[in-house]
Amino acid sequence: MKKFERLDGLVAPLDRANVDTDLIIPKQFLKSIKRTGFGPNLFDELRYLDEGYPGQDTSSRPLNPDFVLNQSRYQGAQVLLARRNFGCGSSREHAPWALDDFGFRVVIAPSFADIFYNNSFKNGILLITLDEATVERLFQETEASEGYRLDIDLDAQTITTPSGDVIAFDADPFRKHCLLEGLDDIGLTLEQSGAIRDFESRHRAAQPWLFRDA
Amino acid sequence: MSSRTLYDKLWAQHLVTSRDDGSALIYIDRHLLHEVTSPQAFEGLRLAGRKPWRRDANLATPDHNVPTTLKERSAGNAGILDSVSRIQVETLDANCESFDIEEFRINDERQGIVHVVGPEQGATLPGMTVVCGDSHTATHGAFAALSHGIGTSEVEHVLATQCLIAQKMKNMQVRVEGKLGLGVTAKDIVLAVIGRIGTAGGTGYAIEFAGSAIRELSMEGRMTICNMAIEAGARVGLVAVDDNTIEYLRGRPYAPSVEQWPAAVEAWRNLVSDEGAHFDKVVELDAAEIEPQVTWGTSPEMVVNVSATVPDPAGASDETVERGMKRALEYMGLEAGQKITDIQLDKVFIGSCTNSRIEDLREAAKVARGRKVADNIQLAMVVPGSGLVKRLAEAEGLDKIFIEAGFEWREPGCSMCLAMNADKLGAGERCASTSNRNFEGRQGYGGRTHLVSPAMAAAAAIEGHFVDVRDYDYAPAATMSA
Ligand code: SF4
């Protein structure tokens, strides 16, 4: 997977709670059999005024001027600031694929839905959970000053604001390690093939009905 | 040994290795696949030159993109008019063939929504770990199987290694004690739970549903409840094993053989939380107080009793919630204070992995019998969850009841639950739906979804607006399976 070490990135605020994965990438785009190309349809129903369909040239579609990612000051944003329970609903990994394809490398929110959380890490996207008050403060600062950037250091587990304030964040040690090294977790798991085979034969002996090829 | 919850036991029984940092490798017994979340995983395997670890653990079926109209359906894959959808289904077929994975293809009678098919075949068994690239995999927890949705990278990981990298969840118990009122169903229980704890209330937890009202439910009802655990934020919903579980499974194609059966049943009997087991959180509901539920907004937690009115955002707990409520009212085209029973509908959908099993169709048919769909309803459709559910329903004459009442009787699939096929709402159209998500655009761009039980949906179709099904003159099924 893609490595993540450090990023100094422009921040875009998405001021809305319970953003579900249907909203991040609507179902009509899930028909693709590829992992790439979802960026133009990220937040499709919020971003455009018309209904999108797969394979369309999005450059000629009418943009919703009120949607934050359409505003010129947030072009090129790599850090998405969001509200609680971000990524709830469907397990579609197309949601992090779309965020990644659009250019986001980090999402900061007070909480994330579980499946989305896993899916994002598998794609080298760093999710940072901060308390509501800190997130609120970042929203205010982002909206107040154009060009607001955050310097995010995964190894040190810190976010540095433009004024030099340092905010610490928690990171799961295994995921942090994988992100920093860009590790392929299937390869890692296969290193434990022996342990898996041992488990499997014990499991088969105890509950043979779980195996249909006996 | 100290007392353990059902979840603790299932976790321990599948632990292959655990790391010091808390992450673990757990073994996966059953992997279900559908066409939407698997193509990139197979492609990943192919690129890395890997093969499935254990082919007999996998079972696949196309469900999201399949047409539900007979004419299209009888043409097989060629009847999928949208070429992008068709390629996705064909890709599943090709992948299953080249990786030697069992698949129930589009017109196999065993095809259906993956979460209906697994249990129906006995491919979901107590004590298993069950995963699928689909968040409603929580459904299978009704059988005391540790089941949850995974993403596509994890689908690839499970195919390649038969394991998943996981972290132990916390334990929550939702206890529903007492007797449900007549006409109040499993769907109303789970909507009431979500209304109580919110769509993030279960995040990080495995929820075990317990209490006398849960014990009284059929396996279909328990599946409806576990199915929507994810709508409360919990990846896992569970119900302990009892006689209902065991009787449901007896004789199913993938269930243990006659020789294995006694040993399997003995092992399954242990799949209950021990007396005194510790839950990190306990939520209690009184079944007798639960009314039929109707969602009014764009999140399943935006739910009220059918006798209530649309809530006022001014009463919200904080500003973020208030803004969310206002936006939902605007999207839904509703006013605070409006009576739920005054909401007029355009379409009715009875189906989805939440409510498309035989018991759901029987409940809806009881309401529809001898009545007619209201004139303002442009489309009322019933979509059975699998080919086998459809056949059983037809053997019981349910199809005729629906057709005579003016419902369309369709072929099995996900259909208008998420509108990836041709079944969808138009912008501004309002639908009473037995599915699980009322998110913006879920059932079609600009479509407005109200989540309800099958009986409530059928009654809404007949009246053209929501009604309290308890006031209806019909005979709800006993809640125990026959
Ligand atoms: S019926 Fe709906 S929720 Fe269930 S698997 Fe299909 S699309 Fe997903």
Side-chain angles (χ1 to χ4, degrees):
Chain A
M1 88 170 133
K2 226 184 322 189
K3 269 192 186 187
F4 185 99
E5 291 168 312
R6 189 173 183 151
L7 173 81
D8 177 22
L10 184 70
V11 184
L14 183 65
D15 193 1
R16 179 175 176 130
N18 297 318
V19 169
D20 57 75
T21 53
D22 277 77
L23 203 61
I24 298 174
I25 182 89
K27 73 258 177 170
Q28 62 269 38
F29 305 108
L30 312 190
K31 296 177 182 181
S32 166
I33 55 172
K34 302 205 194 84
R35 278 176 193 261
T36 51
F38 297 102
N41 301 106
L42 174 72
F43 298 119
D44 199 272
E45 290 177 12
L46 300 176
R47 220 160 126 196
Y48 303 99
L49 294 170
D50 62 349
E51 180 180 359
Y53 55 87
Q56 187 182 20
D57 173 13
T58 50
S59 63
S60 55
R61 291 176 61 193
L63 292 174
N64 174 2
D66 296 333
F67 183 54
V68 67
L69 297 183
N70 288 333
Q71 294 166 19
S72 60
R73 59 182 284 197
Y74 297 121
Q75 297 313 301
Q78 290 179 288
V79 180
L80 185 67
L81 189 59
R83 295 290 186 184
R84 68 182 80 133
N85 199 27
F86 187 84
C88 60
S90 153
S91 63
R92 59 190 70 171
E93 197 162 318
H94 313 68
W97 292 338
L99 287 163
D100 179 58
D101 201 54
F102 184 87
F104 285 116
R105 300 298 319 277
V106 179
V107 187
I108 301 175
S111 58
F112 295 95
D114 288 338
I115 302 179
F116 176 78
Y117 193 79
N118 279 341
N119 285 343
S120 296
F121 274 99
K122 304 268 179 194
N123 289 281
I125 298 177
L126 175 63
L127 301 187
I128 300 178
T129 310
L130 297 176
D131 62 80
E132 295 254 3
T134 309
V135 170
E136 177 57 33
R137 183 185 121 201
L138 292 178
F139 262 97
Q140 287 174 11
E141 291 181 8
T142 305
E143 279 156 15
S145 64
E146 196 166 332
Y148 187 86
R149 304 176 77 83
L150 290 172
D151 183 4
I152 295 153
D153 183 341
L154 176 58
D155 193 27
Q157 295 179 217
T158 56
I159 303 173
T160 309
T161 70
S163 60
D165 270 4
V166 177
I167 302 164
F169 64 87
D170 287 335
D172 168 82
F174 176 68
R175 290 194 174 113
K176 175 178 168 181
H177 173 66
C178 291
L179 274 176
L180 286 173
E181 305 293 332
L183 295 177
D184 161 24
D185 57 9
I186 296 182
L188 277 181
T189 300
L190 286 174
E191 285 172 12
Q192 305 187 63
S193 292
I196 301 172
R197 290 203 192 285
D198 288 350
F199 177 90
E200 199 166 53
S201 47
R202 289 196 309 272
H203 201 50
R204 188 192 281 267
Q207 300 180 69
W209 55 86
L210 298 179
F211 294 76
R212 298 191 72 228
D213 59 356
Chain B
M1 198 179 287
S2 62
S3 311
R4 294 182 301 166
T5 65
L6 170 57
Y7 172 71
D8 295 339
K9 293 181 186 181
L10 291 168
W11 174 265
Q13 283 175 13
H14 292 87
L15 198 59
V16 177
T17 56
S18 50
R19 298 191 180 88
D20 298 342
D21 59 21
S23 74
L25 211 52
I26 61 168
Y27 187 82
I28 302 303
D29 295 308
R30 177 73 64 225
H31 184 202
L32 302 167
L33 297 112
H34 63 64
E35 77 277 21
V36 182
T37 54
S38 64
Q40 297 87 350
F42 282 114
E43 184 62 14
L45 278 191
R46 207 173 272 120
L47 289 174
R50 289 171 176 142
K51 279 218 219 36
W53 179 280
R54 211 189 107 197
R55 59 163 291 280
D56 73 305
N58 300 291
L59 179 62
T61 192
D63 52 7
H64 286 61
N65 283 285
V66 300
T68 60
T69 40
L70 190 57
K71 177 164 162 277
E72 278 73 24
R73 192 58 172 266
S74 46
N77 287 353
I80 308 177
L81 302 178
D82 176 347
S83 62
V84 195
S85 287
R86 190 174 59 245
I87 289 168
Q88 206 166 46
V89 174
E90 288 169 349
T91 304
L92 180 69
D93 293 353
N95 282 327
C96 288
E97 198 160 300
S98 67
F99 289 102
D100 195 22
I101 285 172
E102 185 166 14
E103 182 195 3
F104 300 155
R105 292 201 177 185
I106 186 164
N107 282 345
D108 188 312
E109 199 180 28
R110 299 166 296 176
Q111 177 274 345
I113 306 171
V114 73
H115 310 305
V116 175
V117 168
E120 179 175 81
Q121 290 295 321
T124 299
L125 295 174
M128 272 185 166
T129 40
V130 180
V131 294
C132 174
D134 196 289
S135 60
H136 291 104
T137 310
T139 311
H140 308 261
F143 291 84
L146 173 52
S147 319
H148 58 76
I150 55 178
T152 298
S153 295
E154 291 174 315
V155 168
E156 185 181 338
H157 192 281
V158 171
L159 282 169
T161 70
Q162 212 53 49
C163 289
L164 196 64
I165 299 170
Q167 238 155 353
K168 193 159 184 239
M169 303 174 200
K170 290 179 284 181
N171 282 290
M172 184 189 299
Q173 187 188 49
V174 171
R175 292 189 71 80
V176 191
E177 298 285 357
K179 231 179 142 37
L180 284 177
L182 211 61
V184 183
T185 67
K187 182 68 165 283
D188 302 302
I189 296 181
V190 70
L191 284 171
V193 170
I194 296 163
R196 169 85 76 86
I197 69 175
T199 50
T203 305
Y205 289 94
I207 298 181
E208 180 177 344
F209 296 95
S212 57
I214 304 294
R215 298 254 73 86
E216 286 290 309
L217 292 173
S218 65
M219 292 314 294
E220 284 86 352
R222 294 177 191 180
M223 283 189 259
T224 299
I225 292 198
C226 290
N227 172 276
M228 289 191 72
I230 186 66
E231 273 22 278
R235 296 173 75 183
V236 169
L238 287 168
V239 176
V241 167
D242 64 6
D243 291 344
N244 274 4
T245 325
I246 292 165
E247 285 317 310
Y248 179 96
L249 290 167
R250 194 189 291 276
R252 299 210 174 243
Y254 281 58
S257 63
V258 175
E259 298 75 51
Q260 292 168 334
W261 186 257
V265 169
E266 196 187 323
W268 294 346
R269 291 279 181 203
N270 187 39
L271 296 172
V272 297
S273 286
D274 295 331
E275 193 76 43
H278 173 74
F279 287 91
D280 302 284
K281 193 168 170 181
V282 177
V283 175
E284 292 181 56
L285 271 79
D286 179 354
E289 283 177 8
I290 300 175
E291 283 192 25
Q293 303 287 299
V294 181
T295 66
W296 58 268
T298 53
S299 164
E301 70 185 19
M302 294 172 167
V303 64
V304 289
N305 292 336
V306 64
S307 61
T309 56
V310 175
D312 190 342
S317 53
D318 70 33
E319 213 191 307
T320 307
V321 175
E322 185 181 339
R323 257 181 293 139
M325 289 175 74
K326 280 187 182 152
R327 187 164 38 226
L329 287 181
E330 194 182 322
Y331 181 86
M332 293 297 291
L334 295 173
E335 301 282 341
Q338 210 173 333
K339 281 175 72 174
I340 293 293
T341 48
D342 285 346
I343 297 174
Q344 299 285 317
L345 297 151
D346 304 306
K347 290 187 174 168
V348 174
F349 171 63
I350 297 175
S352 90
C353 58
T354 312
N355 284 128
S356 64
R357 298 182 181 81
I358 190 68
E359 180 184 281
D360 302 314
L361 305 189
R362 286 179 190 144
E363 283 286 311
K366 287 209 170 95
V367 175
R369 189 193 306 269
R371 296 191 168 99
K372 288 279 180 229
V373 169
D375 289 343
N376 60 311
I377 302 294
Q378 300 152 28
L379 172 68
M381 62 197 293
V382 184
V383 187
S386 70
L388 293 173
V389 169
K390 179 167 185 261
R391 186 175 71 180
L392 182 56
E394 288 174 352
E396 294 180 12
L398 305 186
D399 56 327
K400 293 206 182 58
I401 295 174
F402 287 122
I403 293 166
E404 273 162 26
F407 287 83
E408 292 194 11
W409 176 248
R410 297 287 187 94
E411 301 299 305
C414 293
S415 179
M416 208 158 72
C417 172
L418 96 164
M420 260 183 98
N421 69 353
D423 310 333
K424 54 184 81 164
L425 296 181
E429 280 179 346
R430 189 179 296 285
C431 181
S433 176
T434 66
S435 56
N436 43 54
R437 289 189 173 136
N438 51 354
F439 298 157
E440 286 184 23
R442 172 82 181 180
Q443 294 193 292
Y445 183 78
R448 295 163 170 167
T449 303
H450 296 273
L451 304 176
V452 289
S453 73
M456 284 286 289
I462 303 301
E463 299 302 321
H465 57 87
F466 288 115
V467 288
D468 188 339
V469 73
R470 293 173 302 176
D471 299 338
Y472 238 61
D473 177 23
Y474 83 114
T479 44
M480 287 287 283
S481 57

